[in-house]
Amino acid sequence: MVFDIKMIQNLYESLPQRILQAKEELKRPLTLTEKILYAHLSKDEPIKDYQRGEDYVNFAPDRVAMQDATAQMALLQLMNSGRERVAVPSTVHCDHLIQAYKSAKEDLNTAEITNKEVYDFLSVVSNKFGIGFWKPGAGIIHQVVLENYAFPGGMMIGTDSHTPNAGGLGMIAIGVGGADAVDVMAGMPWELKMPKIIGVKLTGKLSGWASAKDVILKLAGILTVKGGTNAVIEYFGEGAYSLSATGKATICNMGAEVGATTSIFPYDEKSAEYLVATDRKEIVDVINSVKDHLKADAEVENNPEKYYDRVIEINLSQLEPYINGPFTPDAAHPISEFAKVVKEKGYPQAMEVGLIGSCTNSSYEDMSRAASIVKDARSKEVSVKAQFIINPGSEQVRFTAERDGILTEFEEVGATIMANACGPCIGQWKRETENPERPNSIVTSFNRNFAKRNDGNPNTHAFVASPELVAALTIAGDLCFNPMTDTLTNAKGEKVKLKEPVGLELPQKGFGVEDLGYIEPVSEGNNIEVNIAPDSQRLQILQPFAVWDGKDIIEQPLLIKAKGKCTTDHISMAGPWLRFRGHLDNISDNMLIGAVNAFNDKTNSVKNPLTGEFEAVPQLARNFKAKGLGSIVVAEENYGEGSSREHAAMEPRFLNVKAIIVKSFARIHETNLKKQGMLALTFVNKEDYDKVQEEDKISILGLTEFQPGKNLKVKLSHKDGTADTIEVAHTYNQLQIEWFKAGSALNYMKGE
């Protein structure tokens, strides 16, 4: 089944002419990224040489995808937009609210009961506005998109930071907040700063224990968690053509961990094979006439330093498996050095749980390669030492893997097959352990490993690796085990070595499935009523945020000065809080409860200057709000790193936080703050962070002359009567300033 084939055909018909126009204007060869971006300029946007990393540009994406946790707030905003139907093909995917606890069937049944109100809401609103709905159990959003919607040369946005997964099929796919999704669904242009482009040249070919996952794990170590900010990572070179489509998707998926806007591979035979295998031969048939446009121009590949902002080369033939972590995805360790690191750092050496799945590594190929390791160990009478958990990526993958005996291999060694959902990757793991706070180590095939992210335990050392390496370490139960060199002792006392992984990129019998889990919306939804109970604890009608009062912000108290890493998990935790994603008031009780207070090194403990007592962060914000006060948040580098969740911006806005002042922002979060009418400011001199004192009253001056490119002043009035005045920068353009003045982008769109 091919979704939206007419839209795809129309794009391909216009693609050559659009690319030609861009080349004539820019007077140079183009990268693949530039070809797709220029082909998707909004209709009123002129074709010109936009400056990378500087110019804001309006685009017209082809489609929108939303996962259930973020879709709630996106659809609540859509209901306030005045639209009757979405302007572009859009989908909702129910994958985040299913807790991994006992098994797929039991957990799915529980989710359908506990989340019925939310699922019904998402289903009804989807039907009303013409949005495709994927039921709980259908699969993880990015795997489902790859199997059904991603297409070479297209452009999409998704309300999840790992939307770039679709780049594995040559699509510009970008993670955004719900307000951005509403813009596109409402037929508005979508704004993005023209990204820089990092070229990654792949040479050689993978072999042995090395996998596609190891490409991005190595690259994360090179770029760090913010090295790709405001940039697209474009892969090229003969090595790129040797990787499977799902392997490329894995690499693009985890590009989010280096802050990249998105990542992309060129169209090739592997792309065509995957499209055909997933019943989309019609796309391959129409793509043949334009396939030369779906890769960088030859001059770009031959002289990459001339056309990319940075070039990195990775030789796949020399690549060894990597393990990244703990607590950050860019702590990259080749397997040959990892045992030494474990012992030097004192990480818990016993590997207690191995988890395979998530949107990053849950394809048929991933499952088959990991299963080959398990099968080999069983044939050699080697027992599995650690707990084993598997989350297939989609019902199509699960059904096919079960049919082909892959899941049986896991079950034979005691693995638990969980639902086709995110589960443990996003804190939806009900882990049973005798001491939920003790130090321990787990290894996952996921993408993120921030503290508390998987099981809520700050002492769980989570490491990220390929599915095949996860399988090997789970069998060994030892972080220091290197399957390339080490042996295991079997039931007979013999020393045996595990074979190298083998697997199939695509199932030999083709994919099979009985029920995809998709519900097509009705053709006319005007008569559909959306009802939300006034006393609901899960859903709440959104009220417009207040417009700017036209004045500078004067002497507002500091709410928290956050120390160190402050990701969206710190600002708005997932896990058990996911149930409140449709209720802004309730979920605001988790605002910044994971952030470390720079003045006492504690979480969720900040000083109330009015009483001298220490309170929870959201409680203090509510106390200030009740007294008619706002407040200010101060933080360090890459604030808002991680998920696209706009709740991390909406909660401070709701609790009357006036501004976030930091050393630097993660891209998506900065945009989310702007969309909600917040001030997102950065220290011109990063050392000024140190001048902020615990009981400061903070003024933001110059707002009456708020202009693009013009810095603002911040006055820190200290308790002892002294003051510091510092300079802060911003990246607001004129439209974004209008959002601020209107109270939010949605207010501005509606003309409120």
Side-chain angles (χ1 to χ4, degrees), residues 435-460:
N435 181 356
E437 292 294 314
R438 66 178 175 77
N440 71 99
S441 293
I442 66 173
V443 182
T444 81
S445 70
F446 306 164
N447 40 45
R448 293 195 173 129
N449 55 356
F450 305 140
K452 298 186 181 182
R453 182 170 175 91
N454 303 123
D455 62 359
N457 179 3
N459 297 307
T460 292

Side-chain angles (χ1 to χ4, degrees), residues 405-522:
I406 291 173
L407 296 188
T408 301
E409 292 294 342
F410 292 121
E411 290 172 326
E412 287 288 338
V413 297
T416 301
I417 310 300
M418 296 293 188
N420 314 319
C422 302
C425 182
I426 57 162
Q428 285 285 60
W429 178 21
K430 189 175 180 180
R431 184 180 180 188
E432 292 187 320
T433 176
E434 77 285 352
N435 181 356
E437 292 294 314
R438 66 178 175 77
N440 71 99
S441 293
I442 66 173
V443 182
T444 81
S445 70
F446 306 164
N447 40 45
R448 293 195 173 129
N449 55 356
F450 305 140
K452 298 186 181 182
R453 182 170 175 91
N454 303 123
D455 62 359
N457 179 3
N459 297 307
T460 292
H461 296 61
F463 299 89
V464 178
S466 67
E468 40 270 67
L469 199 55
V470 172
L473 291 170
T474 305
I475 292 165
D478 184 353
L479 276 188
C480 294
F481 175 67
N482 181 351
M484 298 173 66
T485 57
D486 299 343
T487 59
L488 296 169
T489 303
N490 68 6
K492 299 176 182 177
E494 301 166 334
K495 299 288 186 181
V496 297
K497 193 175 180 183
L498 295 176
K499 287 183 181 178
E500 293 177 348
V502 293
L504 296 170
E505 293 180 11
L506 298 166
Q508 291 179 325
K509 299 177 185 176
F511 284 106
V513 68
E514 290 180 348
D515 178 10
L516 275 174
Y518 174 72
I519 299 176
E520 184 82 19
V522 296

Side-chain angles (χ1 to χ4, degrees), residues 130-148:
I131 298 169
F133 183 73
W134 291 80
K135 297 184 296 185
I140 303 171
I141 177 173
H142 309 304
Q143 182 66 30
V144 173
V145 166
L146 193 71
E147 293 173 5
N148 296 277

Side-chain angles (χ1 to χ4, degrees), residues 135-409:
K135 297 184 296 185
I140 303 171
I141 177 173
H142 309 304
Q143 182 66 30
V144 173
V145 166
L146 193 71
E147 293 173 5
N148 296 277
Y149 298 113
F151 66 95
M155 183 179 188
M156 69 173 284
I157 61 171
T159 61
D160 189 280
S161 54
H162 293 103
T163 301
N165 192 79
L169 270 183
M171 191 175 203
I172 289 287
I174 301 174
V176 300
D180 282 350
V182 172
D183 282 353
V184 176
M185 290 189 290
M188 303 283 286
W190 176 64
E191 185 184 66
L192 177 73
K193 184 180 287 187
M194 183 61 82
K196 294 183 178 182
I197 309 174
I198 299 171
V200 177
K201 183 178 182 179
L202 300 180
T203 62
K205 188 175 182 179
L206 294 171
S207 63
W209 283 88
S211 74
K213 182 66 165 276
D214 298 307
V215 175
I216 188 60
L217 293 177
K218 178 181 176 69
L219 188 62
I222 295 171
L223 289 174
T224 77
V225 291
K226 64 175 185 174
T229 302
N230 291 324
V232 172
I233 301 174
E234 181 173 314
Y235 294 85
F236 67 99
E238 76 272 14
Y241 299 108
S242 68
L243 299 171
S244 69
T246 51
K248 292 170 186 171
T250 291
I251 294 170
C252 292
N253 177 296
M254 206 176 156
E257 270 50 73
V258 298
T261 300
T262 192
S263 302
I264 193 168
F265 277 85
Y267 175 77
D268 59 15
E269 287 303 312
K270 297 287 190 181
S271 312
E273 290 171 6
Y274 187 77
L275 286 168
V276 171
T278 50
D279 291 330
R280 290 178 286 171
K281 185 176 183 298
E282 283 181 79
I283 296 177
V284 177
D285 292 339
V286 297
I287 212 172
N288 285 331
S289 62
V290 298
K291 63 181 181 181
D292 289 341
H293 296 291
L294 299 176
K295 59 183 178 181
D297 287 333
E299 300 93 326
V300 173
E301 292 206 13
N302 293 334
N303 300 283
E305 288 81 5
K306 188 175 178 181
Y307 300 101
Y308 294 110
D309 295 286
R310 179 180 179 181
V311 177
I312 298 168
E313 187 168 332
I314 296 176
N315 186 336
L316 302 182
S317 300
Q318 298 175 357
L319 186 66
E320 66 174 297
Y322 270 71
I323 303 179
N324 287 24
F327 308 130
T328 185
D330 60 348
H333 313 287
I335 187 69
S336 59
E337 301 173 10
F338 188 59
K340 181 181 177 183
V341 171
V342 170
K343 291 172 181 175
E344 286 180 350
K345 299 285 189 180
Y347 300 144
Q349 186 172 334
M351 205 286 262
E352 298 189 18
V353 191
L355 303 107
I356 292 175
S358 88
C359 60
T360 326
N361 281 109
S362 54
S363 67
Y364 184 89
E365 180 184 22
D366 293 327
M367 296 292 170
S368 66
R369 283 176 63 87
S372 77
I373 306 299
V374 174
K375 182 177 181 180
D376 180 54
R378 194 158 61 90
S379 71
K380 292 171 177 172
E381 298 186 54
V382 176
S383 61
V384 175
K385 303 296 191 301
Q387 184 183 0
F388 213 170
I389 294 174
I390 312 293
N391 283 82
S394 69
E395 177 57 17
Q396 183 165 264
V397 166
R398 188 212 64 78
F399 183 95
T400 308
E402 182 178 59
R403 180 199 68 192
D404 295 349
I406 291 173
L407 296 188
T408 301
E409 292 294 342

